Amino acid sequence: RYGLAEEEDQVGVVTGLAWTSVGGELLSIEALKLPGKGRMKTTGKLGDVMKESIEAASSFVRSISPEIGVKPPVFEKIDIHVHVPEGATPKDGPSAGVGMVTSIVSVLTGIPVKKDIAMTGEVTLRGNVLPIGGLKEKLLAALRGGVKTVLIPAENEKDLVDIPNNVKDGLTIIPVSHVSEVLKHALVSKPEPILWDEEAEEAARLASIASQSSNPNHPVAH
Amino acid sequence: RYGLAEEEDQVGVVTGLAWTSVGGELLSIEALKLPGKGRMKTTGKLGDVMKESIEAASSFVRSISPEIGVKPPVFEKIDIHVHVPEGATPKDGPSAGVGMVTSIVSVLTGIPVKKDIAMTGEVTLRGNVLPIGGLKEKLLAALRGGVKTVLIPAENEKDLVDIPNNVKDGLTIIPVSHVSEVLKHALVSKPEPILWDEEAEEAARLASIASQSSNPNHPVAH
Amino acid sequence: RYGLAEEEDQVGVVTGLAWTSVGGELLSIEALKLPGKGRMKTTGKLGDVMKESIEAASSFVRSISPEIGVKPPVFEKIDIHVHVPEGATPKDGPSAGVGMVTSIVSVLTGIPVKKDIAMTGEVTLRGNVLPIGGLKEKLLAALRGGVKTVLIPAENEKDLVDIPNNVKDGLTIIPVSHVSEVLKHALVSKPEPILWDEEAEEAARLASIASQSSNPNHPVAH
Amino acid sequence: RYGLAEEEDQVGVVTGLAWTSVGGELLSIEALKLPGKGRMKTTGKLGDVMKESIEAASSFVRSISPEIGVKPPVFEKIDIHVHVPEGATPKDGPSAGVGMVTSIVSVLTGIPVKKDIAMTGEVTLRGNVLPIGGLKEKLLAALRGGVKTVLIPAENEKDLVDIPNNVKDGLTIIPVSHVSEVLKHALVSKPEPILWDEEAEEAARLASIASQSSNPNHPVAH
Amino acid sequence: RYGLAEEEDQVGVVTGLAWTSVGGELLSIEALKLPGKGRMKTTGKLGDVMKESIEAASSFVRSISPEIGVKPPVFEKIDIHVHVPEGATPKDGPSAGVGMVTSIVSVLTGIPVKKDIAMTGEVTLRGNVLPIGGLKEKLLAALRGGVKTVLIPAENEKDLVDIPNNVKDGLTIIPVSHVSEVLKHALVSKPEPILWDEEAEEAARLASIASQSSNPNHPVAH
Amino acid sequence: RYGLAEEEDQVGVVTGLAWTSVGGELLSIEALKLPGKGRMKTTGKLGDVMKESIEAASSFVRSISPEIGVKPPVFEKIDIHVHVPEGATPKDGPSAGVGMVTSIVSVLTGIPVKKDIAMTGEVTLRGNVLPIGGLKEKLLAALRGGVKTVLIPAENEKDLVDIPNNVKDGLTIIPVSHVSEVLKHALVSKPEPILWDEEAEEAARLASIASQSSNPNHPVAH
Ligand SMILES: [Ca+2]
Ligand SMILES: [Ca+2]
Ligand SMILES: [Ca+2]
Ligand SMILES: [Ca+2]
Ligand SMILES: [Ca+2]
Ligand SMILES: [Ca+2]
Ligand SMILES: [Ca+2]
Ligand SMILES: [Ca+2]
Ligand SMILES: [Ca+2]
Ligand SMILES: [Ca+2]
Ligand SMILES: [Ca+2]
Ligand SMILES: [Ca+2]
């Protein structure tokens, strides 16, 4: 089953597209949220560039967290683990960036990722999508693997003229220029934004601490 | 005795299967739970891929901890040490993943692992079992070492046609596609799930702290 | 779009100028401010010299923080992430220093950077601007990329005689010898300085803590 | 004196047996217990495998600490330093494992190690003793160095047929299959086990903290 | 301007003298004091020997801090960043030691360094000045760069016979054997020593904490 | 002056003896005690073996601290910096061990080291002195450098037959087998031992904390 599109919509699991000397391949990107203290763990024999693309993805997601309904302090209380099987295959490059963002957003919001979508694109700290290489090989791999929809960088749209028609016919190819479009297409539902006012929250938190200390069930405490 | 099936059901000790240029071999995977602060220690001349497979195994187990009866905060108060003797032999690869999961679950739950079972399979962050290489050599080593039952990845089932009949006759070979099946077969009893509601627990914890502070024997404290 | 001047004034995004064996290039420098604990993260396949130039930029900015309206303790509560796409392209050298300073100041003050300006120059811990190499190639890249104004080190002014006239005609070239001039030209508005008296602030902080502890709603606490 | 059996029973000093291309040699293993915070320090130009064998030895000892009369929280308040002179000679391999365990147990319990005993054997996380190489050279070195008794892995017993009779006559050779046997033979007295009930201890600790806070000499405190 | 004597007396900026295969050169050493927690940061493509010379300089300054009017606890609340532009030029060697000490003392005391002085000399943990190499090239660079006064190690005084007369005529060359002489010559004024009695200070600090807790403005606190 | 015996008795400064391919040399070992948190810093281009010998020296000194009048908790509140000039000369080997111990003890006790003594010898965690190489070259260097007394390992006494008579006549050579003898000969006075009962001290400390909290000048606090 590995190397094929997912069989069901899953939380935190995204299909990326890799490009190596022997062709394109599907990449399963898995994120997990664990109780913790703000650490990021990455595994799967990832090269430095891919690790940095995960760091960029993570910082971008933190910077927009109220927009996806996540209170910023949440990040201090969780660890995020991103793993890319197969563990013995070296992987590198920045083009999994949009997949990393989607995977992290899915796991933070609990909103599943559509099972028959794949994606490729470098992502900047502002969420802009930068072009990638190997478009043809990646689209072929997507088709072969049973993917229905592929998100590609808008700046790669011009390369579509070189893609065989049967590939273009077999796939819905959607050019995107910002991660917000990626999330709109890839998640089964839209995250609910929240209002976040750091100072108001801090005041509320302090009040709550004071209130707990003087717990009414323990009048003389402590 | 090393290189043979275990002599009794033990907590935290699992028989894995390694495959090197000189054939298959039994691998004893040992996990230990120690009072600590959430650290993971790995020893046994392990390569980076095997170390990452232990990290993935550990994160997976943490993500399902209520299902095996372990409260998530437990992980903050223990260290887990995974060791793979013989210490001078280099070991690598992701295929010990299912063994790592089983060993960690056994040590956390206190449920022993069946002594005459061996296993091989990469594991993802969702607990899916991915195919491995060297099936034939591994099964031969299992037979030679006195193992009765071998768990293999379901995706390797197709490779069984190449395995000599005497090997298939001498072993019970069980294909598995998820770690939950591995645990069902490998542990001597089933872990008891618990309900875990983080917010309720946190409230209880705070109440308990307040209550301890106002210890009835020390009314004017503190 | 990458490799061209920005399309709008943005907070924390600065256009730098790189010089490689194949010519000059525009470099997008992105800074992000996140809740944190004073850490600096850098990504984008940056060499050691460029990483050190970011550290120097960051220390310089901290040393002048009241002049840009930022209270020094703020730095203990945030992390700053500086990323330079494209993530797979190696980048090095100290000449992005002025861009790093500008990017960090913009993100700390919330004041956008003018969209059609580019800059190059090493920066010292006192904010002095040191000369750079590859002036011609960098100016050509700026012109090609749609940049209108380029800030260059004053010590490079003498090299302008070798620059073709069409380049000098197409760009406003401004020599600068200190970062204060860079900020004056690059930010859309001037940061508002604050007065900062560390001892007075510390006293105020302690008073505030005491006051919170004796929250009027919880007279007996604790 | 270095390279000979110890002259008196000492706490934390164990004679190991090394095997190099130029023959066997006695190895003095020294452990020291210092006030600290649970750190392990290792010195003596030790290779990675020997360092890992010390980590395994240490985890094993922690896992059985009540059996040797040591309360588990003790490990949080001490550092253990294991040093193997001579500092300029590289040392490696897992076969000092039983010596490491013995040295650490001796230093934790304060029970001296018998002066005329030497030992060799890899140790697992469960305290099982695995076979080693170079038995003949190690026994020759033991004889030469004035050692009376040598503990060897039970799985190496079969190799004794190749050992010259004068060596076997000059030494008491004791095969062991678990570290518990090693400790029985090597320590001058038996450690006194304690009962350890973590929850009961935690409750006692909290009560004690509360009690200290309300110190009777300071009724209004604090 | 870089590579010339400073134009004005500055706090924390010292002119050092480097010696490479292509001759001598002026080196600008910059120190900055930031709110922090006792960390030392060094940048400027510095080799290990130069980094260690900064550590030695820093420890020496801490060890004499009352003599320069700095209370030892100050070091726990600041970070010191030492940078040596130009950032792309590799630098190494211990001979910048006296410059490092002077730069750190200047930044801690706020006393500027005289603008037309340069210095070279290794420094020990006791502040002794050890001899350096390349005296001739360094003095030539100083003269060329507009420096008026050069501090050299007393042990290098014997090498002055080989220096051309025009160099010796153009510079005031002052041999020094201890850093105290360096500071006397290089700083525009003398640091004011303080008395420091650690135990008395600790008592005062504790009293002050107690006093803050019972802040008179908040009688019921807390 | 470097490379000669010290001119006066100094605290924390010890003359060691190095042996390189070009002969013997005097080595000045400097230790400094700084307010801190139990860290050990080492500088002077030291190889791994010499760094480990400093760690062993430090642990040995901590283990005997009451015997030299130092309360064990002191180590948690100081950092120790050991530096060996000249900073550009690589140094390695374990034979400076006794010098490291002496230097650290001197700095902790404030007792100066005799100025005309030099020493060489590896040290174990128990303070035993192990033999060294290059005795002849080291003694020649000591004589040349104006040293009067040299401490050598007792196990090197047998090598004295190969030392020229004029060297033996010009030096007082004292063989030592334990660091306690080294300290007796090298320090200008004997450290005053203290009694140290950890549990009694802990009780006293807790009482003192309670007492400070209920400061009589602040009756209602806090
Ligand atoms: Ca594959
Ligand atoms: Ca990729
Ligand atoms: Ca084997
Ligand atoms: Ca494997
Ligand atoms: Ca490009
Ligand atoms: Ca650059
Ligand atoms: Ca030897
Ligand atoms: Ca060994
Ligand atoms: Ca230059
Ligand atoms: Ca230098
Ligand atoms: Ca020398
Ligand atoms: Ca030496």
Side-chain angles (χ1 to χ4, degrees), chain B residues 1 11 30-31 35 41 44-45 81 86-87 218 222, chain D residues 52 55 59 62 122 124-126 155 206 214 221-222:
Chain B
R1 289 277 319 116
V11 171
E30 294 185 291
K41 179 172 305 199
K45 209 165 188 174
H81 186 159
E86 312 170 356
H218 308 280
H222 57 248
Chain D
E52 288 195 344
E55 289 190 81
S59 287
R62 290 187 64 183
E122 177 171 348
T124 73
L125 276 190
R126 259 70 192 171
E155 290 191 51
L206 287 169
S214 63
H222 58 244

PDB file of all heavy atoms in Angstrom, chain B residues 1 11 30-31 35 41 44-45 81 86-87 218 222, chain D residues 52 55 59 62 122 124-126 155 206 214 221-222:
ATOM      1  N   ARG B   1      23.460 -18.806  24.585  1.00  0.00           N
ATOM      2  CA  ARG B   1      22.008 -18.602  24.511  1.00  0.00           C
ATOM      3  C   ARG B   1      21.635 -17.435  23.606  1.00  0.00           C
ATOM      4  O   ARG B   1      20.548 -17.411  23.057  1.00  0.00           O
ATOM      5  CB  ARG B   1      21.429 -18.313  25.916  1.00  0.00           C
ATOM      6  CG  ARG B   1      21.394 -19.490  26.869  1.00  0.00           C
ATOM      7  CD  ARG B   1      20.155 -20.345  26.608  1.00  0.00           C
ATOM      8  NE  ARG B   1      19.020 -19.485  26.358  1.00  0.00           N
ATOM      9  CZ  ARG B   1      18.369 -19.437  25.198  1.00  0.00           C
ATOM     10  NH1 ARG B   1      18.731 -20.214  24.210  1.00  0.00           N
ATOM     11  NH2 ARG B   1      17.341 -18.621  25.023  1.00  0.00           N
ATOM     12  N   VAL B  11       9.172  -9.338  30.303  1.00  0.00           N
ATOM     13  CA  VAL B  11       8.670  -7.983  30.099  1.00  0.00           C
ATOM     14  C   VAL B  11       9.751  -7.155  29.406  1.00  0.00           C
ATOM     15  O   VAL B  11      10.892  -7.092  29.871  1.00  0.00           O
ATOM     16  CB  VAL B  11       8.290  -7.330  31.442  1.00  0.00           C
ATOM     17  CG1 VAL B  11       7.979  -5.857  31.258  1.00  0.00           C
ATOM     18  CG2 VAL B  11       7.108  -8.055  32.059  1.00  0.00           C
ATOM     19  N   GLU B  30      15.788  -5.029  23.956  1.00  0.00           N
ATOM     20  CA  GLU B  30      15.488  -4.881  25.378  1.00  0.00           C
ATOM     21  C   GLU B  30      15.071  -3.452  25.689  1.00  0.00           C
ATOM     22  O   GLU B  30      15.803  -2.519  25.370  1.00  0.00           O
ATOM     23  CB  GLU B  30      16.744  -5.124  26.212  1.00  0.00           C
ATOM     24  CG  GLU B  30      17.305  -6.504  26.190  1.00  0.00           C
ATOM     25  CD  GLU B  30      18.474  -6.567  27.171  1.00  0.00           C
ATOM     26  OE1 GLU B  30      19.512  -5.932  26.876  1.00  0.00           O
ATOM     27  OE2 GLU B  30      18.351  -7.234  28.193  1.00  0.00           O
ATOM     28  N   ALA B  31      13.926  -3.281  26.348  1.00  0.00           N
ATOM     29  CA  ALA B  31      13.551  -1.947  26.821  1.00  0.00           C
ATOM     30  C   ALA B  31      13.480  -1.967  28.343  1.00  0.00           C
ATOM     31  O   ALA B  31      13.137  -2.981  28.952  1.00  0.00           O
ATOM     32  CB  ALA B  31      12.226  -1.508  26.234  1.00  0.00           C
ATOM     33  N   PRO B  35      12.823   5.697  36.435  1.00  0.00           N
ATOM     34  CA  PRO B  35      12.350   7.018  36.842  1.00  0.00           C
ATOM     35  C   PRO B  35      13.176   8.066  36.108  1.00  0.00           C
ATOM     36  O   PRO B  35      14.395   7.899  35.976  1.00  0.00           O
ATOM     37  CB  PRO B  35      12.651   7.070  38.341  1.00  0.00           C
ATOM     38  CG  PRO B  35      13.126   5.717  38.738  1.00  0.00           C
ATOM     39  CD  PRO B  35      13.417   4.926  37.517  1.00  0.00           C
ATOM     40  N   LYS B  41      16.853   6.764  25.730  1.00  0.00           N
ATOM     41  CA  LYS B  41      18.256   6.408  25.511  1.00  0.00           C
ATOM     42  C   LYS B  41      18.323   5.162  24.648  1.00  0.00           C
ATOM     43  O   LYS B  41      17.541   4.226  24.838  1.00  0.00           O
ATOM     44  CB  LYS B  41      18.932   6.157  26.866  1.00  0.00           C
ATOM     45  CG  LYS B  41      20.386   5.767  26.764  1.00  0.00           C
ATOM     46  CD  LYS B  41      21.055   5.714  28.129  1.00  0.00           C
ATOM     47  CE  LYS B  41      20.897   7.032  28.865  1.00  0.00           C
ATOM     48  NZ  LYS B  41      21.859   7.223  29.968  1.00  0.00           N
ATOM     49  N   GLY B  44      23.716   0.057  21.707  1.00  0.00           N
ATOM     50  CA  GLY B  44      23.912  -1.208  20.990  1.00  0.00           C
ATOM     51  C   GLY B  44      24.512  -1.016  19.612  1.00  0.00           C
ATOM     52  O   GLY B  44      24.291  -1.829  18.735  1.00  0.00           O
ATOM     53  N   LYS B  45      25.276   0.056  19.440  1.00  0.00           N
ATOM     54  CA  LYS B  45      25.905   0.370  18.141  1.00  0.00           C
ATOM     55  C   LYS B  45      24.852   0.471  17.034  1.00  0.00           C
ATOM     56  O   LYS B  45      24.978  -0.157  15.985  1.00  0.00           O
ATOM     57  CB  LYS B  45      26.966  -0.684  17.809  1.00  0.00           C
ATOM     58  CG  LYS B  45      28.072  -0.099  16.955  1.00  0.00           C
ATOM     59  CD  LYS B  45      29.308  -0.971  16.890  1.00  0.00           C
ATOM     60  CE  LYS B  45      30.405  -0.187  16.186  1.00  0.00           C
ATOM     61  NZ  LYS B  45      31.696  -0.868  16.191  1.00  0.00           N
ATOM     62  N   HIS B  81      15.019   3.237  28.144  1.00  0.00           N
ATOM     63  CA  HIS B  81      16.304   2.846  27.559  1.00  0.00           C
ATOM     64  C   HIS B  81      16.055   1.622  26.677  1.00  0.00           C
ATOM     65  O   HIS B  81      15.572   0.601  27.155  1.00  0.00           O
ATOM     66  CB  HIS B  81      17.297   2.525  28.688  1.00  0.00           C
ATOM     67  CG  HIS B  81      18.686   2.244  28.215  1.00  0.00           C
ATOM     68  ND1 HIS B  81      19.799   2.342  29.017  1.00  0.00           N
ATOM     69  CD2 HIS B  81      19.166   1.845  27.002  1.00  0.00           C
ATOM     70  CE1 HIS B  81      20.902   2.037  28.336  1.00  0.00           C
ATOM     71  NE2 HIS B  81      20.534   1.723  27.116  1.00  0.00           N
ATOM     72  N   GLU B  86      24.225  -7.715  20.576  1.00  0.00           N
ATOM     73  CA  GLU B  86      25.521  -7.616  21.160  1.00  0.00           C
ATOM     74  C   GLU B  86      26.105  -6.248  20.863  1.00  0.00           C
ATOM     75  O   GLU B  86      26.074  -5.804  19.724  1.00  0.00           O
ATOM     76  CB  GLU B  86      26.390  -8.712  20.557  1.00  0.00           C
ATOM     77  CG  GLU B  86      25.662 -10.053  20.589  1.00  0.00           C
ATOM     78  CD  GLU B  86      26.414 -11.119  19.758  1.00  0.00           C
ATOM     79  OE1 GLU B  86      27.430 -10.828  19.111  1.00  0.00           O
ATOM     80  OE2 GLU B  86      25.944 -12.255  19.785  1.00  0.00           O
ATOM     81  N   GLY B  87      26.676  -5.627  21.871  1.00  0.00           N
ATOM     82  CA  GLY B  87      27.064  -4.227  21.803  1.00  0.00           C
ATOM     83  C   GLY B  87      28.132  -3.883  20.787  1.00  0.00           C
ATOM     84  O   GLY B  87      28.295  -2.720  20.424  1.00  0.00           O
ATOM     85  N   HIS B 218      -1.304  20.400  59.667  1.00  0.00           N
ATOM     86  CA  HIS B 218      -0.494  21.624  59.747  1.00  0.00           C
ATOM     87  C   HIS B 218      -1.358  22.819  59.394  1.00  0.00           C
ATOM     88  O   HIS B 218      -1.137  23.486  58.400  1.00  0.00           O
ATOM     89  CB  HIS B 218       0.698  21.534  58.784  1.00  0.00           C
ATOM     90  CG  HIS B 218       1.480  20.282  58.976  1.00  0.00           C
ATOM     91  ND1 HIS B 218       2.398  20.130  59.986  1.00  0.00           N
ATOM     92  CD2 HIS B 218       1.472  19.122  58.290  1.00  0.00           C
ATOM     93  CE1 HIS B 218       2.937  18.918  59.907  1.00  0.00           C
ATOM     94  NE2 HIS B 218       2.389  18.282  58.888  1.00  0.00           N
ATOM     95  N   HIS B 222       1.507  27.801  55.179  1.00  0.00           N
ATOM     96  CA  HIS B 222       2.867  27.380  55.374  1.00  0.00           C
ATOM     97  C   HIS B 222       3.732  28.579  55.700  1.00  0.00           C
ATOM     98  O   HIS B 222       4.879  28.639  55.351  1.00  0.00           O
ATOM     99  CB  HIS B 222       3.392  26.733  54.105  1.00  0.00           C
ATOM    100  CG  HIS B 222       3.295  27.662  52.952  1.00  0.00           C
ATOM    101  ND1 HIS B 222       2.431  27.462  51.883  1.00  0.00           N
ATOM    102  CD2 HIS B 222       3.906  28.840  52.698  1.00  0.00           C
ATOM    103  CE1 HIS B 222       2.547  28.457  51.016  1.00  0.00           C
ATOM    104  NE2 HIS B 222       3.413  29.295  51.474  1.00  0.00           N
TER     105      HIS B 222
ATOM    106  N   GLU D  52      28.817   2.933  25.598  1.00  0.00           N
ATOM    107  CA  GLU D  52      27.453   2.405  25.626  1.00  0.00           C
ATOM    108  C   GLU D  52      27.323   1.269  26.638  1.00  0.00           C
ATOM    109  O   GLU D  52      26.273   1.099  27.252  1.00  0.00           O
ATOM    110  CB  GLU D  52      27.042   1.920  24.240  1.00  0.00           C
ATOM    111  CG  GLU D  52      26.797   3.060  23.265  1.00  0.00           C
ATOM    112  CD  GLU D  52      26.045   2.621  22.027  1.00  0.00           C
ATOM    113  OE1 GLU D  52      25.962   1.403  21.761  1.00  0.00           O
ATOM    114  OE2 GLU D  52      25.521   3.492  21.315  1.00  0.00           O
ATOM    115  N   GLU D  55      26.646   2.850  29.835  1.00  0.00           N
ATOM    116  CA  GLU D  55      25.255   3.305  29.922  1.00  0.00           C
ATOM    117  C   GLU D  55      24.310   2.143  30.214  1.00  0.00           C
ATOM    118  O   GLU D  55      23.375   2.273  31.007  1.00  0.00           O
ATOM    119  CB  GLU D  55      24.832   3.980  28.616  1.00  0.00           C
ATOM    120  CG  GLU D  55      25.485   5.321  28.398  1.00  0.00           C
ATOM    121  CD  GLU D  55      24.845   6.049  27.234  1.00  0.00           C
ATOM    122  OE1 GLU D  55      23.782   6.664  27.433  1.00  0.00           O
ATOM    123  OE2 GLU D  55      25.408   6.000  26.114  1.00  0.00           O
ATOM    124  N   SER D  59      22.009   1.726  33.539  1.00  0.00           N
ATOM    125  CA  SER D  59      20.554   1.549  33.511  1.00  0.00           C
ATOM    126  C   SER D  59      20.166   0.265  34.228  1.00  0.00           C
ATOM    127  O   SER D  59      19.177   0.224  34.965  1.00  0.00           O
ATOM    128  CB  SER D  59      20.046   1.515  32.060  1.00  0.00           C
ATOM    129  OG  SER D  59      20.085   2.801  31.488  1.00  0.00           O
ATOM    130  N   ARG D  62      20.305   0.904  37.918  1.00  0.00           N
ATOM    131  CA  ARG D  62      19.155   1.706  38.358  1.00  0.00           C
ATOM    132  C   ARG D  62      17.901   0.840  38.436  1.00  0.00           C
ATOM    133  O   ARG D  62      17.078   1.023  39.332  1.00  0.00           O
ATOM    134  CB  ARG D  62      18.900   2.867  37.396  1.00  0.00           C
ATOM    135  CG  ARG D  62      19.987   3.931  37.464  1.00  0.00           C
ATOM    136  CD  ARG D  62      19.625   5.133  36.635  1.00  0.00           C
ATOM    137  NE  ARG D  62      18.424   5.788  37.162  1.00  0.00           N
ATOM    138  CZ  ARG D  62      17.844   6.822  36.600  1.00  0.00           C
ATOM    139  NH1 ARG D  62      18.358   7.334  35.484  1.00  0.00           N
ATOM    140  NH2 ARG D  62      16.771   7.363  37.124  1.00  0.00           N
ATOM    141  N   GLU D 122      30.171  -9.200  28.547  1.00  0.00           N
ATOM    142  CA  GLU D 122      29.186  -8.186  28.148  1.00  0.00           C
ATOM    143  C   GLU D 122      27.953  -8.347  29.018  1.00  0.00           C
ATOM    144  O   GLU D 122      27.623  -9.446  29.453  1.00  0.00           O
ATOM    145  CB  GLU D 122      28.815  -8.383  26.668  1.00  0.00           C
ATOM    146  CG  GLU D 122      27.751  -7.415  26.197  1.00  0.00           C
ATOM    147  CD  GLU D 122      27.510  -7.432  24.684  1.00  0.00           C
ATOM    148  OE1 GLU D 122      28.330  -8.030  23.945  1.00  0.00           O
ATOM    149  OE2 GLU D 122      26.496  -6.864  24.248  1.00  0.00           O
ATOM    150  N   THR D 124      23.691  -7.383  29.477  1.00  0.00           N
ATOM    151  CA  THR D 124      22.490  -6.847  28.828  1.00  0.00           C
ATOM    152  C   THR D 124      21.716  -5.990  29.829  1.00  0.00           C
ATOM    153  O   THR D 124      22.067  -5.915  31.004  1.00  0.00           O
ATOM    154  CB  THR D 124      21.573  -7.983  28.341  1.00  0.00           C
ATOM    155  OG1 THR D 124      20.949  -8.579  29.481  1.00  0.00           O
ATOM    156  CG2 THR D 124      22.361  -9.039  27.571  1.00  0.00           C
ATOM    157  N   LEU D 125      20.655  -5.345  29.343  1.00  0.00           N
ATOM    158  CA  LEU D 125      19.833  -4.507  30.224  1.00  0.00           C
ATOM    159  C   LEU D 125      19.151  -5.314  31.316  1.00  0.00           C
ATOM    160  O   LEU D 125      18.636  -4.741  32.277  1.00  0.00           O
ATOM    161  CB  LEU D 125      18.766  -3.772  29.425  1.00  0.00           C
ATOM    162  CG  LEU D 125      19.150  -2.456  28.747  1.00  0.00           C
ATOM    163  CD1 LEU D 125      17.918  -1.769  28.217  1.00  0.00           C
ATOM    164  CD2 LEU D 125      19.893  -1.540  29.702  1.00  0.00           C
ATOM    165  N   ARG D 126      19.061  -6.628  31.144  1.00  0.00           N
ATOM    166  CA  ARG D 126      18.466  -7.517  32.164  1.00  0.00           C
ATOM    167  C   ARG D 126      19.531  -8.138  33.045  1.00  0.00           C
ATOM    168  O   ARG D 126      19.234  -8.975  33.883  1.00  0.00           O
ATOM    169  CB  ARG D 126      17.676  -8.641  31.479  1.00  0.00           C
ATOM    170  CG  ARG D 126      16.162  -8.398  31.474  1.00  0.00           C
ATOM    171  CD  ARG D 126      15.814  -7.285  30.571  1.00  0.00           C
ATOM    172  NE  ARG D 126      14.452  -6.829  30.730  1.00  0.00           N
ATOM    173  CZ  ARG D 126      13.991  -5.735  30.143  1.00  0.00           C
ATOM    174  NH1 ARG D 126      14.792  -5.008  29.380  1.00  0.00           N
ATOM    175  NH2 ARG D 126      12.757  -5.357  30.336  1.00  0.00           N
ATOM    176  N   GLU D 155      28.765 -18.779  28.697  1.00  0.00           N
ATOM    177  CA  GLU D 155      28.824 -19.201  27.288  1.00  0.00           C
ATOM    178  C   GLU D 155      30.262 -19.335  26.783  1.00  0.00           C
ATOM    179  O   GLU D 155      30.486 -19.827  25.681  1.00  0.00           O
ATOM    180  CB  GLU D 155      28.034 -18.217  26.414  1.00  0.00           C
ATOM    181  CG  GLU D 155      26.531 -18.335  26.650  1.00  0.00           C
ATOM    182  CD  GLU D 155      25.723 -17.567  25.604  1.00  0.00           C
ATOM    183  OE1 GLU D 155      25.964 -17.773  24.400  1.00  0.00           O
ATOM    184  OE2 GLU D 155      24.858 -16.761  26.001  1.00  0.00           O
ATOM    185  N   LEU D 206       5.821  14.346  50.315  1.00  0.00           N
ATOM    186  CA  LEU D 206       4.974  15.541  50.316  1.00  0.00           C
ATOM    187  C   LEU D 206       4.614  15.943  51.745  1.00  0.00           C
ATOM    188  O   LEU D 206       4.645  17.126  52.103  1.00  0.00           O
ATOM    189  CB  LEU D 206       3.710  15.294  49.495  1.00  0.00           C
ATOM    190  CG  LEU D 206       3.939  15.246  47.977  1.00  0.00           C
ATOM    191  CD1 LEU D 206       2.692  14.743  47.266  1.00  0.00           C
ATOM    192  CD2 LEU D 206       4.318  16.640  47.471  1.00  0.00           C
ATOM    193  N   SER D 214       5.931  24.254  57.910  1.00  0.00           N
ATOM    194  CA  SER D 214       5.291  24.750  59.133  1.00  0.00           C
ATOM    195  C   SER D 214       6.168  24.454  60.331  1.00  0.00           C
ATOM    196  O   SER D 214       5.705  24.011  61.365  1.00  0.00           O
ATOM    197  CB  SER D 214       3.940  24.075  59.302  1.00  0.00           C
ATOM    198  OG  SER D 214       4.147  22.678  59.463  1.00  0.00           O
ATOM    199  N   ALA D 221       5.332  31.561  60.189  1.00  0.00           N
ATOM    200  CA  ALA D 221       5.953  31.443  58.860  1.00  0.00           C
ATOM    201  C   ALA D 221       4.986  30.890  57.821  1.00  0.00           C
ATOM    202  O   ALA D 221       4.155  30.055  58.166  1.00  0.00           O
ATOM    203  CB  ALA D 221       7.180  30.547  58.943  1.00  0.00           C
ATOM    204  N   HIS D 222       5.176  31.186  56.536  1.00  0.00           N
ATOM    205  CA  HIS D 222       5.850  32.377  56.066  1.00  0.00           C
ATOM    206  C   HIS D 222       4.968  33.041  55.059  1.00  0.00           C
ATOM    207  O   HIS D 222       5.008  33.033  53.947  1.00  0.00           O
ATOM    208  CB  HIS D 222       7.215  32.100  55.457  1.00  0.00           C
ATOM    209  CG  HIS D 222       7.166  31.157  54.311  1.00  0.00           C
ATOM    210  ND1 HIS D 222       7.770  29.902  54.317  1.00  0.00           N
ATOM    211  CD2 HIS D 222       6.567  31.251  53.113  1.00  0.00           C
ATOM    212  CE1 HIS D 222       7.560  29.293  53.181  1.00  0.00           C
ATOM    213  NE2 HIS D 222       6.841  30.067  52.431  1.00  0.00           N
TER     214      HIS D 222
END
